[in-house]
Amino acid sequence: IALPLIRSSQRLQSLRTWSSVVGMSKEESGDVELSPEDRAAKEVADLWRAAPGQEADAAVIWLHHQGESEAMQQMMFGDLKIPGAGRVRWLWPRAPMQPSSIRGHSLVLQWFDVKEYPICRRVRGVPDRPRKDEEPEDVQRAVQRIEAMVKALEVEGLQRHRILLGGFGMGGALALKTVLQSRTPFAGGVICSAWLPCQEELEDRLREGG
């Protein structure tokens, strides 16, 4: 995100709903040649460092469900305190607008596309059949989006074991997938009314940290 000269409250809200950032110029990043992902992480970390009173000892990344935004989740959990965690920064990213297969290909806020509801192992019929699973590449792109947010926190100085992922519905599914694939353990994962997408390919992506 490019942040113009706006009020501090607006700048902080833009950071909390951040999903992607523009890279810095070579002059801004110094003589070190950084990858696009590292440049983006450094840019976000520098913005947080420059925001007064926003130092954090831990962070929670909370992900909303398909067709919703972060607003309802903020109303539910925005005032939640975590005893013993110190200064906790809550981050509420917003999913990109994408065509939804289960909503007539209309554009909705969603982390990845779901082929059919309800979420179940087998769809009853004559004969019964397996449920159409999500596309692994689509889900993996969503995981990489969340990992980009985590990397920015790590660049800022927060270690992964001080970062908790959670979410509701599709957001919970993405949080679970991200935690299980992590090479380094997160502080934890919280899922509400969610599922594990792409279970068949999980064995290939499961990591010790998860």
Side-chain angles (χ1 to χ4, degrees), residues 114-131:
V114 173
K115 301 302 182 183
E116 62 180 355
Y117 274 155
I119 306 298
C120 55
R121 288 186 177 276
R122 298 193 68 79
V123 177
R124 297 302 182 187
V126 183
D128 295 349
R129 62 172 176 82
R131 172 184 169 270

Side-chain angles (χ1 to χ4, degrees), residues 23 62 74 76 88 179 196:
W62 194 268
Q74 288 175 318
M76 295 173 61
V88 179
V179 167
L196 179 59

Side-chain angles (χ1 to χ4, degrees), residues 155-169:
V155 170
E156 190 181 345
L158 281 178
Q159 297 185 32
R160 193 165 291 225
H161 71 265
R162 300 290 295 173
I163 303 170
L164 184 143
L165 295 187
F168 175 78

Side-chain angles (χ1 to χ4, degrees), residues 1 15 140 178 207:
I1 53 178
L15 285 166
Q140 196 59 28
T178 305
R207 296 294 181 264

Side-chain angles (χ1 to χ4, degrees), residues 96-127:
M97 193 76 76
Q98 303 180 66
S100 170
S101 295
I102 62 173
R103 301 192 183 197
H105 299 285
S106 59
L107 292 175
V108 302
L109 294 172
Q110 62 177 15
W111 300 106
F112 51 84
D113 192 36
V114 173
K115 301 302 182 183
E116 62 180 355
Y117 274 155
I119 306 298
C120 55
R121 288 186 177 276
R122 298 193 68 79
V123 177
R124 297 302 182 187
V126 183

